[in-house]
């Protein structure tokens, strides 16, 4: 019995002083304002890690904060990401994914009316606007809470369609 107690004490001491399976928190991106309704998403590809979050009030200060790490999360570059060509200010509900070709796909909802896809072929350094994903021909063009998943180079995207005629997930 004495040996079991000693063994338990040794194991408890070893566990107490062992490294935790996670690292300390690291500041990944600067918001530049307060976060309210801050939906966020994170994706990784080898040592590259990408994060995106919308920030602030929907109708006053809007945009996305985008963070990128090339060293497994030890250091980050960040900035505010905004597409002014859409003509809709609120940038909400973003999500980000990486495909098997190492291309980064960023999706952003604009004021619950348009879901757009942006593509980076250079590890998230530059972005090109590729297409609207939501069907603008639907009544009110409503889209909310989009999400997606990658399988190989295939992209699957869903969103909530908050229209009485088309209620549900698309």
């Amino acid at each position: 019995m004495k040996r079991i107690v000693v063994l338990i004490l040794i194991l408890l001491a070893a566990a107490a002083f062992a490294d935790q399976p996670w690292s300390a928190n690291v500041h990944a991106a600067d918001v530049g304002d307060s976060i309210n309704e801050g939906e966020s998403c994170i994706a990784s590809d080898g040592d590259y890690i990408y994060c995106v979050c919308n920030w602030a009030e929907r109708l006053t200060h809007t945009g996305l904060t985008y963070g990128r790490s090339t060293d497994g999360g030890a250091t980050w570059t960040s900035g505010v990401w905004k597409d002014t060509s859409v003509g809709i200010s609120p940038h909400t509900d973003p999500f980000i994914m990486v495909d098997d070709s190492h291309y980064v796909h960023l999706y952003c909802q604009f004021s619950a009316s348009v879901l757009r896809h942006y593509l980076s072929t250079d590890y998230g350094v530059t972005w090109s606007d590729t297409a609207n994903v939501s069907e603008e021909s639907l009544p009110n063009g409503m889209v909310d809470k989009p999400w997606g998943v990658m399988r190989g180079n295939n992209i699957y995207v869903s969103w909530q369609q908050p229209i009485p005629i088309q209620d549900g997930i698309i």
Side-chain angles (χ1 to χ4, degrees), residues 76-122:
W76 291 83
T77 58
S78 71
V80 172
W81 186 95
K82 198 162 190 165
D83 182 356
T84 56
S85 70
V86 180
I88 301 172
S89 184
H91 291 47
T92 61
D93 298 348
F95 66 97
I96 196 163
M97 302 182 291
V98 183
D99 67 26
D100 284 353
S101 299
H102 309 287
Y103 293 168
V104 185
H105 301 265
L106 172 66
Y107 291 81
C108 179
Q109 167 189 326
F110 291 87
S111 189
S113 61
V114 176
L115 176 62
R116 277 189 115 130
H117 171 251
Y118 299 88
L119 176 68
S120 175
T121 58
D122 58 3

